[in-house]
Amino acid sequence: MPLSFYQSEDVLGIAKGLLGKQLWTNIDGVLTAGTIVETEAYRGIDDKASHAYKGLLTDRTSTMYQLGGIAYIYLCYGIHSLFNVVTGPKGTPHAVLIRAIEPVKGLDMMLQRRKMDILKPNITRGPGAMTQAMGISRAFNASNLQDNSIWIAETNFNMVQQEIVACPRIGVAYAGEDALLPWRFYLKGNVYVSRPIKGNG
DNA sequence: CCAGGGATGGACT
DNA sequence: GTCCATCCCTGGT
């Protein structure tokens, strides 16, 4: 995607706009890709669920304050690398968490990385599973999405016939009332979505 | 220095 | 549904 896509201040719009686009990685020359089907927006210093709430600026969160268009990757629960797209102008720590993709390229490598024998939806369902399948580790934190390691591509995916569900984010109970904000977005009915809302596919 | 906790996923009942 | 591995980050001492 062009740099301008990432530099909008409308992180909610970017989170929705990333649905249907393709996330690509080139790890040691091996290509993998998948269609983004689930995202969450984290809106900088105003958002109690954000790592940058109240303007928190540490070694870890400093990545979020850079100019939009880079990766913010951090370790969650000591085990999982979670991948975010940093958005907005420099100094505005907005980010979009990519929670799930639908594989489109490099399935054999994804299976190998996930230690799976056959394709099941949980291969890329959930933010930790997705990064493992794509070979995304913290080594790529702050990498530029215009480079050739991790990037996002426009597609001919037909979003017109897709219904987008907006609902509260996952695992942010610590955020008080902000935990109720409908800042999670996913493609209704897609089997790779990590935790569909009952009655919404 | 150290305690507490986390934007999860997999195994198990 | 429950349990918990695993380790970095943060804030307080």
Side-chain angles (χ1 to χ4, degrees):
Chain A
M1 302 299 296
L3 211 49
S4 59
F5 174 85
Y6 301 108
Q7 296 173 358
S8 160
E9 301 212 35
D10 179 12
V11 67
L12 299 182
I14 295 174
K16 281 180 277 194
L18 284 170
L19 295 175
K21 299 201 167 28
Q22 280 182 356
L23 176 65
W24 283 76
T25 63
N26 180 344
I27 311 295
D28 297 328
V30 180
L31 287 173
T32 51
T35 304
I36 297 170
V37 300
E38 180 182 354
T39 63
E40 287 178 357
Y42 287 83
R43 202 178 68 184
I45 65 175
D46 303 322
D47 178 2
K48 289 182 180 173
S50 168
H51 292 168
Y53 178 53
K54 287 184 175 172
L56 182 69
L57 176 58
T58 64
D59 284 349
R60 180 175 69 156
T61 65
S62 63
T63 303
M64 302 178 77
Y65 289 82
Q66 295 187 41
L67 181 62
I70 65 172
Y72 170 49
I73 303 164
Y74 71 96
L75 183 67
C76 185
Y77 292 106
I79 305 170
H80 306 288
S81 295
L82 269 53
F83 170 77
N84 298 251
V85 175
V86 173
T87 73
K90 185 174 172 65
T92 302
H94 295 177
V96 177
L97 172 67
I98 308 299
R99 289 190 54 90
I101 63 172
E102 177 173 338
V104 299
K105 170 87 178 175
L107 190 59
D108 288 347
M109 179 55 82
M110 291 189 190
L111 288 166
Q112 184 179 322
R113 287 173 177 150
R114 294 278 289 135
K115 298 178 169 46
M116 296 170 64
D117 295 324
I118 58 170
L119 175 61
K120 287 187 259 186
N122 68 355
I123 189 170
T124 51
R125 186 167 62 192
M130 184 282 285
T131 56
Q132 187 177 13
M134 295 289 284
I136 295 173
S137 71
R138 282 176 301 148
F140 296 99
N141 183 48
S143 77
N144 196 310
L145 301 179
Q146 308 301 124
D147 291 349
N148 62 358
S149 291
I150 306 173
W151 68 97
I152 296 170
E154 185 64 87
T155 66
N156 57 7
F157 191 87
N158 185 2
M159 284 297 293
V160 175
Q161 61 187 28
Q162 297 292 323
E163 191 170 336
I164 295 177
V165 177
C167 61
R169 295 168 291 183
I170 302 295
V172 296
Y174 60 85
E177 68 271 22
D178 285 356
L180 302 176
L181 295 168
W183 290 358
R184 175 179 179 232
F185 306 99
Y186 66 83
L187 299 184
K188 182 174 180 176
N190 189 285
V191 299
Y192 293 93
V193 171
S194 63
R195 284 176 52 181
I197 300 299
K198 190 177 179 184
N200 272 309

